[in-house]
Amino acid sequence: MKSILFAGAALLLAVSLITYPDPALQASIRGLNMWWEVVFPSLLPFFITAELLIAFGMVRFIGVFCEPIMRPLFNVPGVGSFVLAMGMASGYPSGAKLTSRLRQEKQLTKTEAERLVSFTNASNPLFIVGVIAVSFFGDAELGLLLAIAHYGGNILVGICMRFYGRNETRSVYVREKGLLRRAFRELHETRLADKRPFGKIFGDAVIQSIQTLLMIGGFIIMFSVFNKLLFILGVTDFLANGLKIITSLFGIPADLVLPMLSGFLEITMGGQMIAQAAGSDFFFPIVIVSFVLAFNGFSVQAQVASILADTDIRFAPYFFARILHGFIAAGLAACLYVPLYARHKETSIYTFLHEKTAPNFMELLERVASFGPLFTLSILALGTLILVRRRQSH
């Protein structure tokens, strides 16, 4: 039955692409533009920097200082603080990428890696505030509410997941005096353990980062096409009609159900559709957007599953954590909507923030989009040059 299901789905996709080539092409171009204008240039520096920090022992250095915080709070080693910070700063799927990298370095046990990846794969602040709040909803004040609900929910998920597999073995933590001396010793020993010269380390960082981003680009393009084809075939409408029965019990407007389903597949398109369907009252749209951002969408989840496939980290705990994060973030957004947005919307500080942040974010997004394609092509050319030189040297 599984073979028939997979074969039938692949056949349906092929027939749909042949039947509706123009919509599929437009959706594919939309996904490609998103990848090479924004995703690639924004994530590549973080990926390369993270690889260098891991190779030079800086992650172990940070881990020594953060162990007393990360271990009791999240039940993961101190190196998890690096993954948490980078994941929140650069956005998904950075948390999964760095967790799998640390697992390959044997700095995490299997259970610790599954805990860590469950709450470090977050959306970056630029996307939450600049794209969702400013670009889609046209209201910078919503950015603070969305960010608190998203990152606050992430922390609460991490605290909940600390009890996952708590009876299993964990990495060794040596308690000793002289924390600074131990941190520098860990850094030095990690650097000496990597015998590669600097040129090889930097080249490997570039190549591995490009390969990961090429995989991410493929998923973005394909899920953009999936979303469009499911809408054309009427599958999305069919699911939406069934879901309306459930959402009506919570008072969610019927116009938001279809955009919510689109968000479950791909976050950006879903967020845009939710904003377009929102009326003058942003309460339910913000609650739904918070859930969608926390759920990550099946596009991001497929990227994470592909990254984790190279390790022994299971996908199931991550998927469970996404559902849990979705409900927690939606609950926080509902509880904080009035005190953080509706009640203070007309105050001078919020007016000031709107006037100061909205133009800056839009200007930054326009700059990234304008230089993004050139940057992407240049880095791809550099990666190709590195691979050619390596083959010639061999």
Side-chain angles (χ1 to χ4, degrees):
M1 290 301 297
K2 191 174 181 180
S3 299
I4 294 174
L5 179 63
F6 286 162
L11 180 61
L12 177 62
L13 174 62
V15 173
S16 301
L17 289 173
I18 295 172
T19 307
Y20 306 102
D22 289 340
L25 176 62
Q26 295 301 320
S28 180
I29 292 175
R30 177 186 172 278
L32 176 62
N33 288 336
M34 185 193 308
W35 175 74
W36 82 328
E37 288 180 354
V38 178
V39 175
F40 190 99
S42 62
L43 286 185
L44 182 69
F46 284 97
F47 282 1
I48 295 177
T49 302
E51 291 287 341
L52 295 177
L53 289 173
I54 293 173
F56 296 147
M58 195 63 198
V59 176
R60 296 291 293 270
F61 179 88
I62 297 172
V64 172
F65 286 102
C66 295
E67 184 86 21
I69 301 174
M70 299 297 291
R71 181 66 72 182
L73 195 60
F74 303 115
N75 200 11
V76 296
V79 293
S81 61
F82 169 77
V83 181
L84 179 62
M86 294 292 286
M88 288 186 176
S90 58
Y92 22 65
S94 300
K97 165 71 174 174
L98 298 177
T99 301
S100 63
R101 186 76 172 83
L102 292 179
R103 175 58 184 153
Q104 292 168 349
E105 293 280 328
K106 305 298 183 183
Q107 299 188 41
L108 299 168
T109 66
K110 176 175 176 290
T111 304
E112 288 171 344
E114 290 172 352
R115 288 193 202 109
L116 186 61
V117 76
S118 67
F119 69 95
T120 56
N121 214 49
S123 179
N124 66 70
L126 180 62
F127 179 77
I128 292 177
V129 180
V131 177
I132 299 296
V134 176
S135 181
F136 291 169
F137 283 91
D139 198 340
E141 290 91 336
L142 289 171
L144 178 64
L145 173 61
L146 289 172
I148 292 177
H150 187 72
Y151 297 124
N154 234 13
I155 299 300
L156 292 177
V157 169
I159 295 174
C160 293
M161 291 298 291
R162 78 177 306 280
F163 301 103
Y164 165 74
R166 58 180 176 177
N167 296 325
E168 299 183 18
T169 58
R170 64 182 187 178
S171 57
V172 179
Y173 171 46
V174 181
R175 297 180 181 272
E176 62 180 68
K177 296 181 179 180
L179 203 62
L180 183 62
R181 180 182 299 177
R182 178 174 170 241
F184 275 108
R185 186 176 70 248
E186 293 279 356
L187 183 150
H188 184 59
E189 291 176 353
T190 302
R191 188 190 67 81
L192 292 180
D194 196 333
K195 305 298 183 182
R196 296 174 298 170
F198 174 77
K200 182 71 163 56
I201 292 175
F202 187 79
D204 288 345
V206 173
I207 295 300
Q208 291 174 7
S209 301
I210 291 176
Q211 289 175 343
T212 302
L213 285 168
L214 286 173
M215 178 271 296
I216 292 172
F219 277 110
I220 291 175
I221 293 171
M222 286 308 300
F223 270 87
S224 179
V225 175
F226 290 159
N227 203 351
K228 188 66 175 180
L229 290 178
L230 289 176
F231 180 78
I232 294 175
L233 295 175
V235 176
T236 307
D237 289 331
F238 174 77
L239 295 176
N241 291 330
L243 191 59
K244 286 177 182 178
I245 300 175
I246 301 176
T247 56
S248 62
L249 300 177
F250 300 94
I252 299 176
D255 294 340
L256 295 174
V257 176
L258 184 60
M260 180 174 62
L261 283 177
S262 298
F264 287 160
L265 282 177
E266 204 277 313
I267 297 174
T268 307
M269 179 180 291
Q272 187 176 28
M273 293 177 65
I274 292 171
Q276 291 173 349
S280 57
D281 186 4
F282 284 165
F283 177 77
F284 281 114
I286 291 303
V287 171
I288 293 174
V289 165
S290 296
F291 187 96
V292 168
L293 284 173
F295 185 70
N296 289 177
F298 290 119
S299 175
V300 175
Q301 292 188 19
Q303 298 168 30
V304 172
S306 179
I307 293 172
L308 299 183
D310 294 332
T311 67
D312 59 352
I313 305 173
R314 294 183 301 166
F315 178 76
Y318 166 80
F319 182 74
F320 168 77
R322 291 307 93 221
I323 299 175
L324 179 62
H325 187 196
F327 283 108
I328 292 176
L332 288 175
C335 294
L336 299 175
Y337 179 80
V338 173
L340 288 185
Y341 177 72
R343 184 180 299 171
H344 302 289
K345 190 177 185 306
E346 302 301 328
T347 61
S348 59
I349 182 64
Y350 270 80
T351 304
F352 174 79
L353 287 174
H354 178 76
E355 294 175 353
K356 296 297 181 183
T357 58
N360 292 338
F361 272 118
M362 295 308 298
E363 183 180 353
L364 179 60
L365 288 174
E366 291 175 359
R367 287 184 179 180
V368 171
S370 62
F371 291 103
L374 179 61
F375 178 82
T376 303
L377 292 175
S378 302
I379 296 299
L380 290 176
L382 175 62
T384 304
L385 180 62
I386 293 174
L387 289 176
V388 170
R389 294 202 169 209
R390 286 185 178 180
R391 289 190 177 184
Q392 289 177 348
S393 63
H394 286 309

